Amino acid sequence: MDLALLRTFVAVHRAGSFTRAAGLLGLSQPAVTGQIRTLERQLGRPLFLRTARGVVPTTVGDELAHKAAPHLDALVEITEAGPDDDRSALRTLHLAGPPEFTALRVLPALTTLVTQGLAVRCAFGSTEELFEGLGAGHHDLVITTARPRGRLLAATPLCDEEHVLVAAPRWAARLGGPAVLQVKGVRALEALPVVEVHESLPLVTRYWSAVFDTRPVTAGTIIAPDLRAVLACVAEGAGLGVLPRYLCMDALDAGEVVALLNPPVPPLRTYFLVVRTGALALPHIARAHEWLSRAAVDW
């Protein structure tokens, strides 16, 4: 079987589109379509189903991609290496994840590897964007809060993130503190504005569901699409917010914000390290993966 056909097939499988795969490969869209049709004729089975938004792999397509993709990645690794290349040497890691966690946890943890010769190129994005970029080969390793579906991407749990309901000290004093709030319940919070990262109130809604078994009712909202901005607004008294403990820990210790509740089982969110299946055979990706897994024990 022609390796060029397999390379095109894997690119289409990862990109989910003939057009996007053509751009990644530097080919025309008709050329990509022709190569996929040739491969389908050789195998005697359809590999993709055409849709309005691109293509979806058939069961046969998924099976072929699962078997072929890791080996093709390894061949690319070999062909990109020079004749004197030291395979144990660290290379460039293309990393991506949510901005706050990546900036405050992940990148500092990789500092030692950088001093040993690893180059890092970092990107931020939503979970959907991260999975798409990883599948298309733009990223080597991504950090997400969702497990990918299918077998082309492999996920490893990294750590759990505890969420804390916080507000400025004056709001906490007005509510009477955690003990009083525990008795008053969720209705006592309805008069407070909410500071969030999105109009859908994802963090507050998740917290309300886990702790109060209901949806939030708010007096008003501020939307700031960065958790660090949410923390700054909350500390200034703009309203309550739900934040990861790692991000607001210093502000809690300094008394800039106060935890409004201390539930016996705090809401948690799990982070995952995600790679393309077979990518851990590449030394620089495996080293970063292992390093982050060890560092996360203390997170």
Side-chain angles (χ1 to χ4, degrees):
M1 186 178 294
D2 190 340
L3 288 180
L5 297 182
L6 280 178
R7 178 170 176 261
T8 298
F9 161 73
V10 170
V12 173
H13 190 278
R14 287 173 170 170
S17 161
F18 287 161
T19 302
R20 286 195 292 271
L24 291 170
L25 295 169
L27 300 173
S28 67
Q29 191 268 341
V32 169
T33 301
Q35 289 188 24
I36 295 301
R37 286 176 177 166
T38 298
L39 187 57
E40 289 176 329
R41 283 197 300 270
Q42 290 180 3
L43 296 173
R45 298 284 185 86
L47 297 173
F48 297 103
L49 300 176
R50 280 66 171 175
T51 71
R53 299 182 61 184
V55 293
V56 176
T58 62
T59 301
V60 174
D62 270 335
E63 289 285 347
L64 179 60
H66 180 65
K67 293 177 181 178
H71 302 292
L72 285 171
D73 287 340
L75 287 173
V76 170
E77 179 80 359
I78 293 170
T79 57
E80 288 182 349
D84 300 321
D85 186 38
D86 179 2
R87 301 314 303 151
S88 66
L90 295 175
R91 300 182 55 189
T92 299
L93 176 74
H94 294 273
L95 172 76
E100 305 88 356
F101 187 79
T102 304
L104 299 178
R105 286 294 199 213
V106 177
L107 289 175
L110 292 174
T111 300
T112 300
L113 293 186
V114 172
T115 62
Q116 295 174 4
L118 177 69
V120 176
R121 300 294 179 267
C122 186
F124 301 139
S126 66
T127 296
E128 183 178 346
E129 292 168 340
L130 297 178
F131 284 158
E132 184 176 341
L134 182 62
H138 300 311
H139 314 313
D140 300 319
L141 176 66
V142 304
I143 298 93
T144 74
T145 55
R147 280 186 180 274
R149 296 180 178 179
R151 294 184 295 174
L152 257 282
L153 301 179
T156 303
L158 180 64
C159 66
D160 289 330
E161 169 187 273
E162 178 188 347
H163 285 179
V164 187
L165 178 64
V166 296
R170 67 180 179 87
W171 280 115
R174 183 179 301 183
L175 292 169
V180 175
L181 186 57
Q182 196 75 46
V183 176
K184 290 182 177 179
V186 68
R187 287 191 176 278
L189 300 171
E190 293 178 0
L192 276 69
V194 168
V195 188
E196 254 282 16
V197 294
H198 191 271
E199 295 285 352
S200 63
L201 309 183
L203 300 178
V204 171
T205 299
R206 187 181 296 115
Y207 190 97
W208 255 240
S209 176
V211 176
F212 303 118
D213 193 26
T214 188
R215 292 184 62 81
V217 177
T218 63
T221 56
I222 295 176
I223 305 301
D226 186 292
L227 289 174
R228 290 161 292 193
V230 171
L231 175 59
C233 291
V234 170
E236 287 297 320
L240 63 80
V242 173
L243 292 167
R245 183 171 289 278
Y246 80 85
L247 189 142
C248 63
M249 188 163 43
D250 290 343
L252 286 168
D253 291 342
E256 297 170 359
V257 297
V258 176
L260 297 179
L261 282 175
N262 296 302
V265 181
L268 300 176
R269 181 168 64 172
T270 301
Y271 282 95
F272 298 92
L273 288 174
V274 187
V275 297
R276 291 185 296 278
T277 299
L280 293 182
L282 306 180
H284 68 296
I285 300 178
R287 184 83 182 277
H289 190 283
E290 178 186 4
W291 197 267
L292 289 173
S293 296
R294 281 189 283 161
V297 172
D298 298 324
W299 295 348

